[in-house]
């Protein structure tokens, strides 16, 4: 997690001109604001086939043949995937990693932002690179890239068996496995999909398919001894390293922990499970019946259901509260502790809890204008762009990052001013 | 008119079927059939089987039947008789050889086009029954090789053509660069969170037909659409697992597609000109996952072009002068009701549109759909022979003056290409996108 204590929580407003960048460059792409709100950045086209990044009006020193996937690391460093002379790598604050690759993509950050990983391909061989250092091992194919929360470990599904196109029976013998920090498991599977790295970095759990029909979860290469007709992505318990995954049993979905079914109820659908930070509660998106979606906490669904979609589950830091985004028709809603807010939106982003868990805020959009909603009260500003609101460590203030009338604004406001 | 199709080999060599059949026992067959029927079907199959009065009214609906000299073997009810009825009657006690014939019927003699359901007085959906047969075939491991290989590709890469994770964004960036030679400021925005639209395609586009992505990008750019394409798996909307009866994999693919759109916070998914993919995201896959309707609305290219043209967001500089005829793809017309919008688009971009007959929801299938073309070369002649009626239909349209055939579906495009070539019909085949790209105003273009 990021320590935001050192951020400027006093200056009520800072403004950076943004629209005038358009006069300096051929085009300016969609902007990104830094987590602390001090910087606004965008990929800019300088000339034909010449790209750069503009940060607070200043470009990086060098231009590149291509720049894409501009993203701030949680610690505020600005990264982008860049290419020069047909080679690709990651640039951090304008400086490319020394090693270049045939292609580099899928930037991932540790939660403190210190470790940055990308997937890389060189001469059609695949591996992952962390902070510019690639795995020693390479594989003929790789998918499902995973970075541990502290960024010390990387993992992916890798191909370890050979088969030619059309050799379906060879494929069905199993040609894939998972690799943790480049080291592949000994066991081969027909498929290896989403995976998770344990909090201590020692274990890796993944969805696997043993043949065309039997699915299960494999932990450190060893599949659970029971199989299911399907499974979804596993997660680790934050404290005790158990593995939890939805599994399909007799046409319905159940929650399994270390291969034992833990919730009484079965669901038409069950996925996106998350633990509360202390691991005491487990929540997931569920469909209790066909076409009805909600959230279940420890297997008990909220009474309210939604027709289309429930997404973006967020636990409060004490695990007592839970917020989510829901959609019905063209209307997006915020739901907190099973209650739907009155205000509705054309789009809503993942809710954020204040450190004392009293407030919930979300970035929202209506009729093409962006703003922030806090405890169901909509901020009056209608912005051209907005980023997720951030609470100060003491929970008294809130940081807004927006673009209004062509200018980028960093604002600090007392929470009470919006909460009323 | 044309040369008759070459005589089909009596027995097709297909390792997917042959190896699988060799591993079968009668016990396994019986157990699999009975468990699929008992656990996975229920009232619908029972009602269909009990309601059918064997009247044969559905026969005239099927292009295979009509093309094969009204051979009852190829009639819709004939296909059920040779497969599901026997399985039910014998309580699953059928032989491996019976299953081999069932694979041929369900995978290569039925396009799941649902034309017959419109002719049955009870609306019996033969395609559904064939889907259940395919599910049994999947469970027995005797699916034809080519389409099984495609399902394997889906399982590894989440796309149909073994396109690797890096090849996808690389291809989009290459197409963006190509298109910038025409419109210097054009972008294919990747991973642009909060765009209005996510554009998704099927994997043959980046693999073999990248110009279609180029054309779509030009259309988006000129229309001023706030759009994006994902740089991650989930970009491919196609789904051969739907046709092999691997429902679990179909669900996995559709989840990946919809979750990608949800992650990008788009309001809609616009998909390219593909029919089966539409069925997978609009009907089959979403429903298997528990969604009555797509959780993020799906807009097929036909509807998207209709909206752009109607709103004047793209303007036609010069209508396409060659007379065209329009093929109505089963999945977006019978399955999606887009026939009038397709005509609106055709008339907006072409000087002359000549209807083929029958048309709209009564149109004949291309004979490629339902995964049939994906069963590969061993069945190509059967597919072409099985659709002589389509060739006749196209000939009539040609006699009426049509020189170009518009098919807003990938499978139809390929299938009709084979028909047009084999029967020497002499028609150009185009997507709507090809013609729009050619005919539209491009204000930002270098020589526009
Ligand atoms: S091909 Fe079409 S008309 Fe013929 S049986 Fe199959 S679904 Fe019916
Ligand atoms: S038309 Fe309907 S009732 Fe008659 S044979 Fe065909 S499926 Fe059976």
């Amino acid at each position: 997690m990021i320590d935001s204590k050192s951020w400027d929580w006093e200056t009520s407003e800072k403004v950076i001109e943004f629209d005038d960048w358009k006069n300096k460059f051929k085009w300016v792409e969609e902007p990104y604001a830094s987590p602390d709100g001090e910087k606004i950045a965008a990929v800019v086209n300088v000339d034909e086939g010449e790209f750069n990044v503009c940060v607070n009006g200043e470009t990086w020193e060098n231009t590149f043949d291509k720049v894409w996937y501009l993203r701030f690391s949680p610690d505020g460093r600005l990264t982008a995937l860049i290419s020069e002379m047909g080679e690709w790598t990651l640039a951090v604050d304008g400086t490319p990693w020394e090693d270049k690759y045939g292609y580099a993509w899928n930037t991932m950050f540790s939660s403190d932002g210190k470790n940055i990983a990308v997937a890389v391909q060189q001469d059609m061989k695949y591996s992952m690179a962390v902070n510019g250092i690639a795995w020693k091992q390479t594989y003929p194919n790789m998918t499902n890239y995973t970075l541990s929360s502290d960024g010390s470990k990387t993992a992916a599904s890798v191909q370890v068996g050979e088969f030619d196109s059309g050799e379906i029976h060879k494929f069905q013998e199993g040609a894939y496995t998972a690799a943790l920090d480049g080291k592949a498991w000994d066991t081969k599977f027909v498929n290896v999909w989403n995976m998770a790295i344990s909090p201590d970095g020692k274990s890796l759990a993944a969805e696997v398919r043993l043949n065309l029909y039997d699915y299960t979860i494999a932990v450190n290469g060893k599949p659970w001894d029971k199989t299911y007709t399907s499974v979804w992505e596993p997660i680790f318990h934050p404290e005790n390293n158990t593995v939890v995954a939805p599994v399909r049993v007799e046409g319905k979905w159940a929650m399994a922990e270390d291969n034992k079914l833990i919730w009484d109820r079965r669901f038409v659908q069950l996925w996106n499970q998350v633990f509360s930070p202390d691991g005491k509660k487990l929540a997931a998106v569920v469909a209790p019946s066909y076409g009805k979606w909600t959230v279940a906490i420890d297997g008990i669904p909220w009474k309210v259901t939604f027709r289309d979609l429930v997404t973006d589950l967020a636990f409060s830091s004490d695990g007592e509260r839970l917020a989510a985004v829901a959609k019905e028709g063209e209307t997006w809603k915020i739901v907190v502790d099973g209650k739907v807010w009155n205000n509705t939106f054309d789009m809503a982003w993942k809710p954020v809890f204040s450190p004392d868990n009293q407030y919930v805020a979300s970035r929202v959009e209506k009729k093409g204008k962006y703003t922030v909603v806090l405890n169901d009260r909509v901020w009056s500003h209608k912005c051209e762009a907005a980023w997720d609101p951030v609470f100060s460590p003491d929970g008294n203030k809130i940081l807004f990052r927006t673009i209004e009338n062509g200018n980028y604004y960093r604002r600090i406001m007392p929470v009470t001013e919006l909460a009323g | 008119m044309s040369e008759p199709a070459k005589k089909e080999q009596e027995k097709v060599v297909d390792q997917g079927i042959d190896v699988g059949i060799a591993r079968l026992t009668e016990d396994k067959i019986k157990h699999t059939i009975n468990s699929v029927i008992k656990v996975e079907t229920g009232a619908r199959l029972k009602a269909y089987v009990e309601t059918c009065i064997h009247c044969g009214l559905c026969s005239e609906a099927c292009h295979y039947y009509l093309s094969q000299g009204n051979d009852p073997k190829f009639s819709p009810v004939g296909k059920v008789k040779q497969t599901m009825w026997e399985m039910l009657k014998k309580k699953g006690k059928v032989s491996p050889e019976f299953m081999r014939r069932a694979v041929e019927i369900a995978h290569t003699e039925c396009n799941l086009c649902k034309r017959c359901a419109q002719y049955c007085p009870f609306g019996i959906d033969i395609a559904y029954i064939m889907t259940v047969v395919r599910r049994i075939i999947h469970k027995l491991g005797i699916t034809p090789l080519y389409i099984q290989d495609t399902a394997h590709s889906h399982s590894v890469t989440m796309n149909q053509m073994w396109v690797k994770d890096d090849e996808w964004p690389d291809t989009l960036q290459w197409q963006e660069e190509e298109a910038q030679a025409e419109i210097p400021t054009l972008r294919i925005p990747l991973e642009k969170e909060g765009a209005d639209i996510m554009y998704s395609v099927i994997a043959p586009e980046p693999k073999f037909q990248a110009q279609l992505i180029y054309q779509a990008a030009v259309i988006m750019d000129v229309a001023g659409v706030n759009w994006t394409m994902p740089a991650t798996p989930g970009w491919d909307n196609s789904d051969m697992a739907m046709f092999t009866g691997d429902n679990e994999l179909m669900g996995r693919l559709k989840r990946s597609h919809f979750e990608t759109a949800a992650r990008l916070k788009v309001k809609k998914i616009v998909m390219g000109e593909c029919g089966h993919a539409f069925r997978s995201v609009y009907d089959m896959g979403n429903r298997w996952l528990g969604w009555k309707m797509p959780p993020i609305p799906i807009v097929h290219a036909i509807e998207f072009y209709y909206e752009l043209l109607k709103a004047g967001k793209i303007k036609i500089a010069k209508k396409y002068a060659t007379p065209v005829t329009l093929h109505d793809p089963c999945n977006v017309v019978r399955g999606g009701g887009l026939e009038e919008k397709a005509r609106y688009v055709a008339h907006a971009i072409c000087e002359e549109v000549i209807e083929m007959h029958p048309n709209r929801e009564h149109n004949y299938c291309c004979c490629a759909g339902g995964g049939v073309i994906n069963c590969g070369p061993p069945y190509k002649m059967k597919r072409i022979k099985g659709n002589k009626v389509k060739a006749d239909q196209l000939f009539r349209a040609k006699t009426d003056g049509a020189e170009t055939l518009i098919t807003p579906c990938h499978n139809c495009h390929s299938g009709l290409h084979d028909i047009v070539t084999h029967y020497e019909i002499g028609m150009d085949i185009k997507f709507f996108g090809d013609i729009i790209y050619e005919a539209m105003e491009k204000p930002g273009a270098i020589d526009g």
Side-chain angles (χ1 to χ4, degrees):
Chain A
M1 284 300 284
I2 287 298
D3 184 3
S4 60
K5 276 199 210 82
S6 60
W7 296 2
D8 177 359
W9 291 104
E10 298 308 322
T11 316
S12 60
E13 185 175 296
K14 293 178 186 173
V15 192
I16 299 167
E17 284 187 10
F18 176 69
D19 253 10
D20 72 331
W21 298 8
K22 288 190 188 124
N23 306 323
K24 293 200 269 183
F25 307 103
K26 285 204 161 161
W27 75 77
V28 178
E29 302 188 355
E30 54 282 1
Y32 292 85
S34 63
D36 66 2
E38 300 287 352
K39 290 179 199 153
I40 179 85
V43 172
V44 294
N45 178 270
V46 184
D47 209 339
E48 200 187 314
E50 227 183 292
F51 290 84
N52 205 330
V53 170
C54 187
V55 194
N56 290 5
E58 302 289 324
T59 54
W60 282 350
E61 208 172 298
N62 298 312
T63 61
F64 302 99
D65 300 342
K66 176 78 189 166
V67 180
W68 73 292
Y69 206 73
L70 185 71
R71 295 292 185 276
F72 278 99
S73 159
D75 65 358
R77 289 181 295 160
L78 182 56
T79 72
L81 297 163
I82 58 108
S83 99
E84 277 179 301
M85 314 281 287
E87 292 188 301
W88 293 84
T89 195
L90 185 87
V92 182
D93 286 334
T95 310
W97 285 351
E98 227 159 83
D99 283 353
K100 312 282 188 293
Y101 312 94
Y103 204 74
W105 72 104
N106 204 83
T107 316
M108 293 180 290
F109 303 102
S110 61
S111 54
D112 65 4
K114 299 246 163 8
N115 294 312
I116 307 174
V118 294
V120 297
Q121 174 268 113
Q122 182 66 47
D123 304 322
M124 297 311 285
K125 291 184 191 140
Y126 293 80
S127 63
M128 304 218 24
V130 187
N131 301 331
I133 316 243
W135 288 350
K136 282 200 280 301
Q137 303 86 341
T138 61
Y139 297 94
N141 198 5
M142 181 179 79
T143 54
N144 301 299
Y145 324 110
T146 309
L147 180 69
S148 65
S149 165
D150 67 0
S152 64
K153 301 269 171 184
T154 45
S157 312
V158 292
Q159 187 185 338
V160 284
E162 277 181 27
F163 61 93
D164 263 345
S165 112
E167 289 186 328
I168 58 170
H169 299 105
K170 222 164 161 188
F171 173 89
Q172 287 166 17
E173 284 164 19
Y176 293 85
T177 193
L180 181 62
D181 278 351
K183 199 176 169 313
W185 290 344
D186 295 333
T187 342
K188 286 184 200 161
F189 300 96
V190 169
N191 292 106
V192 178
W193 291 297
N194 297 298
M195 56 189 74
I197 301 170
S198 63
D200 64 8
K202 290 191 183 125
S203 290
L204 178 66
E207 300 168 278
V208 296
R209 188 161 71 148
L210 306 178
N211 46 50
L212 295 187
Y213 320 102
D214 296 316
Y215 294 67
T216 194
I217 301 294
V219 184
N220 298 332
K222 194 173 175 304
W224 284 354
D225 53 19
K226 223 170 131 211
T227 63
Y228 304 92
T229 52
S230 192
V231 296
W232 295 130
E233 68 283 354
I235 59 168
F236 277 91
H237 188 285
E239 302 289 332
N240 60 21
N241 266 2
T242 58
V243 176
V244 169
V247 295
R248 193 165 157 90
V249 183
E250 288 162 6
K252 288 261 178 127
W253 287 91
M255 191 68 90
E257 181 170 22
D258 285 352
N259 207 17
K260 281 184 212 65
L261 303 189
I262 51 169
W263 289 356
D264 294 338
R265 284 183 213 230
R266 305 286 177 264
F267 297 94
V268 167
Q269 193 50 268
L270 165 61
W271 54 35
N272 295 141
Q273 75 277 18
V274 281
F275 276 108
S276 59
D278 60 6
K280 293 214 171 84
K281 286 188 180 155
L282 178 66
V285 172
V286 298
S289 59
Y290 179 63
K292 295 204 162 124
W293 296 82
T294 190
V295 172
I297 302 173
D298 294 333
I300 300 168
W302 284 346
K303 285 202 180 66
V304 58
T305 60
F306 305 90
R307 228 171 33 234
D308 291 342
L309 191 66
V310 170
T311 175
D312 294 307
L313 303 195
F315 263 113
S316 61
S317 59
D318 62 0
E320 290 301 317
R321 308 188 67 193
L322 186 82
V325 170
K327 171 181 178 281
E328 277 195 303
E330 292 185 351
T331 309
W332 292 76
K333 302 170 180 185
I334 309 276
V335 200
V336 184
D337 300 330
K339 287 185 199 68
V340 188
W341 285 359
N342 291 324
N343 287 291
T344 61
F345 312 97
D346 296 343
M347 186 53 71
W349 273 258
K350 186 172 176 169
V352 186
F353 277 93
S354 63
D356 62 3
N357 307 317
Q358 293 308 301
Y359 297 102
V360 185
S362 228
R363 164 171 39 145
V364 292
E365 180 258 311
K366 201 162 187 168
K367 297 199 174 99
K369 292 290 180 189
Y370 297 79
T371 190
V372 168
V373 57
L374 182 135
N375 283 16
D376 207 5
R377 289 177 78 113
V378 180
W379 188 38
S380 57
H381 289 236
K382 293 191 170 71
C383 312
E384 285 117 70
W387 285 266
D388 291 342
V390 187
F391 289 97
S392 63
D394 61 10
N396 293 330
K397 288 175 180 162
I398 187 162
L399 161 65
F400 293 97
R401 299 169 291 165
T402 61
I403 292 181
E404 291 163 67
N405 304 317
N407 291 321
Y408 169 75
Y409 287 88
R410 178 194 193 273
R411 291 197 184 84
I412 303 290
M413 260 169 54
V415 172
T416 46
E417 202 169 305
L418 183 55
Chain B
M1 187 165 111
S2 70
E3 287 204 13
K6 272 189 226 139
K7 198 166 178 334
E8 185 87 352
Q9 279 182 326
E10 274 307 297
K11 196 175 160 197
V12 167
V13 176
D14 184 318
Q15 288 287 308
I17 306 173
D18 297 342
V19 172
I21 293 275
R23 291 174 180 169
L24 288 184
T25 61
E26 299 214 346
D27 250 16
K28 178 164 184 196
I29 297 173
K30 186 175 147 204
H31 175 257
T32 306
I33 291 175
N34 291 335
S35 101
V36 168
I37 290 171
K38 182 164 171 258
V39 180
E40 302 187 22
T41 61
R44 191 171 173 198
L45 182 71
K46 198 162 171 268
Y48 284 161
V49 171
E50 284 171 4
T51 316
C52 179
I53 53 166
H54 311 196
C55 67
L57 283 176
C58 49
S59 304
E60 295 288 328
C62 184
H63 48 281
Y64 281 102
Y65 173 83
L66 296 172
S67 302
Q68 302 276 13
N70 295 3
D71 182 344
K73 268 207 322 280
F74 290 97
S75 74
V77 66
K79 295 172 205 186
V80 180
K81 202 169 153 198
Q82 296 170 80
T83 57
M84 186 50 78
W85 281 354
E86 279 297 295
M87 293 179 185
L88 286 168
K89 210 163 75 195
K90 301 210 164 126
K91 298 200 165 61
K93 274 173 86 177
V94 295
S95 68
E97 277 315 301
F98 173 92
M99 284 312 304
R100 178 192 296 278
R101 178 70 191 124
V103 179
E104 280 175 20
I105 294 167
H107 271 284
T108 73
E109 294 171 14
C110 176
N111 299 101
L112 313 179
C113 77
K114 297 194 183 222
R115 191 169 192 265
C116 49
Q118 301 182 139
Y119 288 73
C120 169
F122 308 105
I124 291 173
D125 186 356
I126 304 285
Y128 168 74
I129 302 172
M130 288 299 119
T131 306
V132 176
V133 177
R134 289 190 188 187
R135 174 75 172 162
I136 292 166
I137 289 165
H138 163 68
K139 292 256 176 170
L140 289 171
I142 50 175
T143 302
L145 182 135
Y146 275 81
I147 193 167
Q148 186 59 51
D149 189 60
T150 308
H152 290 168
S153 166
H154 275 304
S155 76
V156 172
T157 62
M158 299 285 125
N159 72 69
Q160 196 187 339
M161 294 250 130
W162 298 102
V163 176
K164 292 181 175 172
D165 285 8
D166 56 322
E167 292 170 343
W168 166 247
D170 199 22
T171 303
L172 297 180
Q173 285 163 342
W174 161 52
Q175 284 310 305
E176 180 184 63
E177 225 178 286
E178 296 272 305
Q180 281 168 355
E182 183 177 2
I183 302 179
T185 54
L186 178 143
R187 283 184 66 203
I188 297 183
L190 298 186
E191 291 289 316
K192 185 180 170 190
E193 197 197 72
D196 292 334
I197 283 167
M198 174 175 108
Y199 185 60
S200 70
V201 298
I202 65 169
E205 295 204 11
K207 195 85 177 179
F208 305 119
Q209 297 162 293
Q211 83 281 0
L212 295 176
I213 297 173
Y214 174 122
Q215 288 172 185
V218 169
I219 294 169
M220 295 284 185
D221 186 76
V222 171
V225 175
N226 181 7
W227 69 300
T228 189
M229 291 182 92
T232 61
W235 55 266
D236 180 15
N237 50 36
S238 74
D239 207 322
M240 280 305 133
M242 167 176 73
F243 289 144
T244 63
D246 190 346
N247 300 341
E248 293 76 12
L249 183 57
M250 166 182 73
R252 181 168 292 269
L253 300 172
K254 295 309 101 168
R255 179 185 175 194
S256 148
H257 191 57
F258 285 121
E259 282 198 342
T260 301
R263 174 177 63 75
L264 288 169
K265 294 286 178 192
V266 296
K267 310 241 165 69
K268 285 177 196 166
I269 301 169
V270 170
M271 56 182 297
E273 292 178 61
C274 185
H276 94 272
F278 183 74
R279 182 185 192 141
S280 78
V281 289
Y282 189 75
D283 175 13
M284 304 282 287
N286 52 311
R287 296 201 165 118
W288 190 84
L289 289 167
W291 281 308
K292 272 190 196 153
M293 290 304 286
I296 313 272
I298 294 278
V299 181
H300 188 270
I302 295 174
E303 190 171 4
F304 185 60
Y305 299 148
Y306 164 84
E307 285 167 5
L308 294 183
L309 287 161
K310 198 145 196 229
K313 289 195 176 148
I314 42 178
K315 296 195 174 64
I316 298 304
K318 192 173 178 310
K319 280 190 178 185
Y320 185 73
T322 313
V324 302
T325 188
L326 175 65
H327 168 77
D328 291 282
C330 309
N331 286 316
V332 296
V333 169
R334 267 193 291 284
L338 294 181
E339 59 274 17
E340 296 313 327
K341 285 180 178 158
R343 276 159 184 79
Y344 179 95
V345 174
H347 285 279
I349 62 177
C350 302
E351 295 279 5
E352 194 183 354
V353 183
I354 294 162
E355 288 286 357
M356 62 172 85
H357 299 279
N359 55 45
R360 297 179 166 82
E361 72 274 24
H362 297 291
N363 189 35
Y364 291 126
C365 172
C366 63
C367 207
V372 171
I373 195 169
N374 306 80
C375 292
Y379 308 97
K380 182 174 171 186
M381 282 317 296
K382 183 194 257 184
R383 174 162 57 76
I384 292 170
K385 245 176 104 179
N387 212 4
K388 190 174 161 297
V389 71
K390 186 85 212 176
D392 295 343
Q393 187 193 25
L394 294 178
F395 261 120
R396 288 196 301 274
K398 182 151 187 216
T399 312
D400 291 345
E403 290 171 41
T404 295
L405 169 61
I406 300 177
T407 67
C409 166
H410 275 275
N411 274 337
C412 298
H413 208 273
S414 312
L416 293 178
H417 175 82
D418 291 337
I419 302 270
V420 163
T421 312
H422 178 82
Y423 293 98
E424 296 175 4
I425 296 170
M427 269 182 170
D428 265 355
I429 308 181
K430 287 191 186 288
F431 289 106
F432 274 132
D434 294 324
I435 298 180
I436 294 174
Y437 169 76
E438 212 177 302
M440 72 194 283
E441 288 179 10
K442 294 174 201 138
I446 285 172
D447 53 6

